[in-house]
């Protein structure tokens, strides 16, 4: 058995049934050379097949360990996607399934996935599923602080590693902001920004950005 296979075997044995299945699926797909793109036209990096199992289904929601919508990736900043996968791999984001998937990806594979999703259609998305939340009359006061980095309407981030927020899933934004506030998702800037937000303000911000047009 090669060193790589031994390492994979040890990793699989340490996972629960759900995460073991996810990892085995990723390994199986790695032996294919191509995958059909989301729109059925042309080929996409094989890694997309693993991503598409959750991110390719509109308003698909996780079932473990907490229930919330998986984020939209179409039109997202490539450098942000790379950074997010690196954070999962390093444990800076706490999600067992994503950490297992990210751990299998090489730098080249991560770059290919990020470039693929960044190149998807921008600006034409329908509104996100806001789970029957009220749309509200306009941007909350606290949105100005968000837009200082994420840009007007959350659509023009000031740096490549800052994500677009417009049209992102409502309950995913609630989950992410709550995790930053608790420190279970680590980022010094976001940790400081969310520290003073209460639950109602987090919901208000999430509702505002999720109703804008942007990510697909």
């Amino acid at each position: 058995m090669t060193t790589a296979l031994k390492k994979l075997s040890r990793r699989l044995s340490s996972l629960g049934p759900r995460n073991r299945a996810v990892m085995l699926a990723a390994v199986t797909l790695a032996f294919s050379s191509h995958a059909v793109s989301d729109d059925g036209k042309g080929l996409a990096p094989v890694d997309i097949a693993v991503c598409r199992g959750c991110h390719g289904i509109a308003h698909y929601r996780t079932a473990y360990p907490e229930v919330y919508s998986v984020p939209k990736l179409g039109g997202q900043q490539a450098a942000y996607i790379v950074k997010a996968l690196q954070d999962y791999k390093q444990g800076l984001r706490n999600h067992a399934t994503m950490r297992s998937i990210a751990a299998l990806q090489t730098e080249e594979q991560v770059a290919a996935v990020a470039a693929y999703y960044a190149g998807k259609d921008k600006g034409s998305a329908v509104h996100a599923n806001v789970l029957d939340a009220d749309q509200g009359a306009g941007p909350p006061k606290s949105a100005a602080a968000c837009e200082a980095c994420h840009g007007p309407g959350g659509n023009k981030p000031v740096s490549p590693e800052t994500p677009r927020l417009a049209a992102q899933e409502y309950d995913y934004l609630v989950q992410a902001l709550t995790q930053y506030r608790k420190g279970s998702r680590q980022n010094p800037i976001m940790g400081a920004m969310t520290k003073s937000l209460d639950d109602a303000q987090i919901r208000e911000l999430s509702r505002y950005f999720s109703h804008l047009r942007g990510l697909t």
Side-chain angles (χ1 to χ4, degrees):
M1 183 181 291
T2 66
T3 301
L5 287 175
K6 288 179 180 178
K7 185 180 295 185
L8 175 61
S9 178
R10 288 195 298 270
R11 184 179 294 276
L12 286 171
S13 65
S14 67
L15 298 174
R18 178 184 174 86
N19 291 335
R20 190 180 299 123
V22 171
M23 183 171 282
L24 283 172
V27 172
T28 301
L29 286 165
F31 286 95
S32 303
S33 59
H34 296 92
V36 179
S37 64
D38 287 341
D39 57 9
K41 300 176 182 178
L43 300 173
V46 66
D47 315 76
I48 299 304
V50 177
C51 307
R52 197 168 50 187
C54 294
H55 296 278
I57 303 173
H59 312 311
Y60 182 79
R61 305 180 76 197
T62 67
Y64 177 85
E66 297 177 84
V67 180
Y68 57 91
S69 296
V70 301
K72 294 179 180 179
L73 298 180
Q76 188 56 272
Q77 302 240 94
Y80 168 74
I81 295 176
V82 170
K83 180 64 165 57
L85 289 171
Q86 290 173 342
D87 285 351
Y88 280 121
K89 186 180 294 190
Q90 296 168 9
L92 298 178
R93 292 195 183 189
N94 184 23
H95 193 285
T97 301
M98 281 303 305
R99 186 173 187 181
S100 298
I101 292 173
L104 289 173
Q105 309 304 309
T106 65
E107 291 184 5
E108 291 77 12
Q109 289 171 323
V110 168
V113 169
Y116 172 76
Y117 279 111
K120 300 295 284 182
D121 184 33
K122 301 179 182 180
S124 62
V126 296
H127 292 159
N129 177 8
V130 293
L131 309 180
D132 299 322
D134 294 332
Q135 292 190 27
K141 293 181 179 179
S142 50
C146 304
E147 292 177 337
C149 291
H150 297 277
N155 257 321
K156 294 182 179 180
V158 299
S159 72
E161 291 187 352
T162 302
R164 296 176 72 212
L165 302 180
Q168 187 56 273
E169 298 284 2
Y170 166 77
D171 52 337
Y172 171 76
L173 291 175
V174 170
Q175 177 74 10
L177 289 171
T178 301
Q179 287 181 331
Y180 280 126
R181 187 180 63 185
K182 292 180 177 178
S184 56
R185 181 183 288 199
Q186 299 176 39
N187 180 282
I189 296 176
M190 287 303 301
M193 292 293 293
T194 55
K195 189 175 182 179
S196 62
L197 297 177
D198 58 28
D199 290 346
Q201 289 173 313
I202 285 178
R203 290 193 297 270
E204 188 179 39
L205 282 169
S206 300
R207 185 178 301 118
Y208 167 66
F209 285 111
S210 69
H211 273 91
L212 302 175
R213 293 186 180 275
L215 299 171
T216 62

